[in-house]
Amino acid sequence: MSHIKPHDQILRWADERPNHVFLRQIHGRRFHDYTFADVAEQAQKMVTALRDMGSSRETKSR
């Protein structure tokens, strides 16, 4: 039995239905919608930043 990882599913949905709402969150008294495309983009930015931080740490420790 194969299990689909959550990040793979988000990327799939971002491709198949980029403008569908993934999350509706309240800020103050207003709702903010995050689409699958928004979430995938932000996650990819975070992964890149974390990888860059790890790379700079490895360079400094040498």
Side-chain angles (χ1 to χ4, degrees):
M1 182 176 187
S2 81
H3 295 286
I4 299 172
K5 295 177 183 173
H7 63 276
D8 290 330
Q9 193 66 38
I10 292 291
L11 293 174
R12 179 178 149 208
W13 286 333
D15 186 50
E16 292 177 0
R17 52 185 89 149
N19 298 317
H20 282 77
V21 174
F22 169 77
L23 172 69
R24 177 169 283 149
Q25 188 172 27
I26 193 164
H27 292 282
R29 294 178 178 227
R30 303 181 101 171
F31 285 98
H32 185 79
D33 291 344
Y34 296 92
T35 64
F36 285 103
D38 294 333
V39 171
E41 180 182 355
Q42 290 301 315
Q44 289 171 336
K45 286 180 181 181
M46 284 188 269
V47 167
T48 299
L50 290 169
R51 283 184 178 153
D52 290 347
M53 287 172 52
S55 297
S56 65
R57 268 193 170 167
E58 290 173 11
T59 304
K60 288 179 183 179
S61 65
R62 289 181 185 177

